[in-house]
Each structure stands twice: as structure tokens, then as C-alpha cells.
Amino acid sequence: MSKKWAISIPASTANLGPGFDSIGIALDKYLELEVELAPAWKIDNLSDNLPDVPNPADHLIIQAAEKTAELYGQSLSPCHLSVKSEIPLARGMGSSASAIVAGVELANQVLELELTAQDKLKVATLMEGHPDNAAASIFGGFTISSSADNGEIHVFHAYHIDASFVLFIPNFELKTAAARNVLPDSYTRQVSAQASATASLLTAAFLSQSFEQAGIYMEQDLFHEPYRLDLIPGAREIKVAAKNAGAFGTCISGAGPTLLSLVQKGTEAEFISKLEGIFPNFELVPVEMNRTGIVVKNKNGSAVFSH
């Protein structure tokens, strides 16, 4: 058994507007871990975008790893983790889901559990509460996922979608709990029918790579965006400016406060140049879809594994 591993987990965006708690896309920003068996748990943060957690037992990655071990009736040996992240915290880019998935994969490798991607998604969803971000981080690509009452997770994934995005990443946070608290407890049948139809149209547009249509449906959500947009200063102005700069559509990434624009491939730099400096509290970052999901390398160089 290898005693050292390198684990890479992609960031994710969820919802894409109307695909509330179900649609996810893996993004080419990464949480990366170097893992080595050790006498005691230790975490070295090698970059920004990482939480300052003095007690390793309180760290989400370790909690997810130990929860995974517990679910499979095993005890996890402590490890030394060296961690880097390109995924900003509390910005709607799946930072918590990527940490949970990293912990699940850590336990999978150290304990040689041989978990399938579906197994990993079940464990991650137990901790995360919904599967959309975790599914994207595990499988990569464009995913649709749903938790059934019996605990089963249904997931669809596609990798052929050649879409490009620009993120508007703010210099302020928005906690998911706060973004959830503004949502209504129920919706009328008319609103639910219209909102779910729009989600279906969005899915069809993405799968057929009809990005102009996809952009229209991204901006027609009724489930969450009408309630969350005003929690993000500048969000409504960004949506208008992005459309004028050539975006097909713009939506909140996950629960926010990052926004995401769908743009024509190859126009990212031109799009950003048109908006540079207009929204000083937001960094504009081009991203593409990640297609690998989890990637694990044994540090002896003998094996490479992806989701």
C-alpha cells in the first residue's frame, strides 16, 4: 500500500439558475492535498483560501475522512496533510463540498475501501445535505443529481459540453445558511410548474450545447434567485452589464455571492476587458468545465486514479 497520495478535487458551481439543488458543473479551480501517514493529525496550509483551524479534529476534511471510516466500520490512521486551494471560501464555488469530497477520498485511499463514485457521493451527501456540488466535484463535467427518500442518490453526468464561463468573485462572503434563510418555505403549484419547466429547458439547452438558449433560461429562475439577488450588492447591475458585454446569461453561482456568466468560447478576455474596473468589489476570472472529477496519484508514481 502506498503511504503517500496526492488528491485533487475540482471546484463546482451549482443551480445554474433554475436547476436548484440539482444541477452542478465542475470548474477548473482545485483543492489539492498531499497526504502522508503520520503519528498524529497535522495540517499545513500552503495557500490562501483555506480556513484557519488550529485543532485538526475541527477541520472539515478530517471530519469527513473520519465519518467515512466510521460508516465503513473502520478506524482511520492519522495523516499529515499539506493543502492548497484555488477555491475561495463562502463564495458559492463549492468549497465545503470539495473539502468533504477530499476527506471521503482520503479515507478511501488510506483504508483501501475501493469506493465507487456512487459510494463517495452517498457519503458526501450525508454530510453536505444535498448532492449537487459534491456530484460535480466527484464525477466532473455537467451533473444532475437528486437524493431519494430511501437514501439513494440518482446522478447523471455528461462531459461533452464545451462551455466557457466567467466568474464574478466578490471580496465579501455570503454564508450558505444566510442565503437559505431568505427562501420561502413553499411555492405555489403554478410557480413550481413553471420553475421546473425552465430547469428542464436549461438542461436540454446545455446538453445540446445551445448556449444562447441556455443563457436565456439561466436568467429565468423562480426558485431562489429572486430572493437572493438583493443579498449580493451589485448583482442586478452585473447581470445587465454582462448581457451588454456579450454574455449569453448570468446567474448566482450556488448560494452566492459569486456570479457566473456563460460566454462564447474564445471571448473570455474580450468580455472581461469590457467590464474591467466597473465592479471594483468583484474579481473577474475565466473558467472552463473540469472533466476529470477527483484525481488521485500515488506518490511513488505507480498509479493514477480519477473518480
Side-chain angles (χ1 to χ4, degrees):
M1 181 182 80
S2 172
K3 303 295 184 183
K4 295 182 181 181
W5 302 264
I7 300 173
S8 175
I9 310 292
S12 58
T13 185
N15 301 330
L16 274 296
F20 184 57
D21 278 4
S22 58
I23 292 178
I25 292 180
L27 303 175
D28 64 346
K29 299 291 179 185
Y30 301 92
L31 172 66
E32 297 177 299
L33 283 69
E34 298 274 349
V35 180
E36 183 175 6
L37 294 179
W41 285 106
K42 181 183 177 184
I43 299 180
D44 290 332
N45 289 345
L46 304 182
S47 69
D48 296 331
N49 297 326
L50 292 166
D52 182 15
V53 184
N55 182 0
D58 296 330
H59 200 288
L60 188 54
I61 293 175
I62 293 175
Q63 291 176 344
E66 293 190 325
K67 177 67 172 178
T68 305
E70 177 188 334
L71 288 170
Y72 285 88
Q74 298 203 39
S75 179
L76 185 62
S77 299
C79 298
H80 176 195
L81 311 182
S82 299
V83 187
K84 295 188 293 185
S85 180
E86 299 175 317
I87 310 171
L89 299 172
R91 297 298 200 284
M93 294 173 62
S95 60
S96 63
S98 65
I100 289 169
V101 170
V104 174
E105 188 59 56
L106 188 159
N108 181 48
Q109 294 299 320
V110 172
L111 297 174
E112 298 185 291
L113 297 175
E114 299 184 356
L115 301 182
T116 66
Q118 193 77 24
D119 295 332
K120 297 170 196 174
L121 182 56
K122 282 186 181 181
V123 177
T125 301
L126 277 175
M127 297 193 66
E128 179 78 342
H130 46 90
D132 48 357
N133 288 98
S137 286
I138 291 168
F139 288 91
F142 176 95
T143 62
I144 307 170
S145 52
S146 175
S147 302
D149 290 340
N150 63 1
E152 289 299 310
I153 310 294
H154 302 282
V155 61
F156 168 90
H157 45 93
Y159 302 105
H160 68 280
I161 300 168
D162 199 19
S164 287
F165 305 96
V166 172
L167 298 170
F168 292 76
I169 305 175
N171 57 12
F172 53 87
E173 297 184 356
L174 176 61
K175 298 296 186 183
T176 300
R180 290 217 169 250
N181 287 340
V182 300
L183 301 182
D185 293 328
S186 61
Y187 302 88
T188 66
R189 181 169 61 185
Q190 179 180 355
V191 168
S192 298
Q194 184 178 345
S196 60
T198 304
S200 297
L201 287 165
L202 176 77
T203 300
F206 263 105
L207 292 178
S208 62
Q209 302 201 88
S210 302
F211 297 134
E212 188 169 348
Q213 287 180 282
I216 293 170
Y217 307 133
M218 283 171 65
E219 297 191 341
Q220 292 183 350
D221 170 62
L222 298 176
F223 284 131
H224 73 109
E225 290 221 358
Y227 310 97
R228 287 174 168 169
L229 273 174
D230 290 332
L231 296 178
I232 307 169
R236 294 185 185 274
E237 293 80 2
I238 285 173
K239 292 186 75 167
V240 173
K243 179 72 76 173
N244 291 337
F248 294 123
T250 301
C251 64
I252 299 172
S253 179
T258 293
L259 284 92
L260 174 143
S261 288
L262 174 64
V263 301
Q264 181 70 46
K265 197 172 188 67
T267 68
E268 299 92 334
E270 179 186 358
F271 174 80
I272 290 171
S273 70
K274 291 178 181 178
L275 299 173
E276 202 74 69
I278 298 177
F279 302 100
N281 292 327
F282 293 79
E283 180 186 7
L284 278 63
V285 179
V287 289
E288 294 190 3
M289 188 175 76
N290 163 278
R291 290 173 170 77
T292 61
I294 300 170
V295 172
V296 179
K297 297 181 181 179
N298 291 340
K299 293 305 287 178
N300 60 14
S302 64
V304 176
F305 167 82
S306 62
H307 71 77

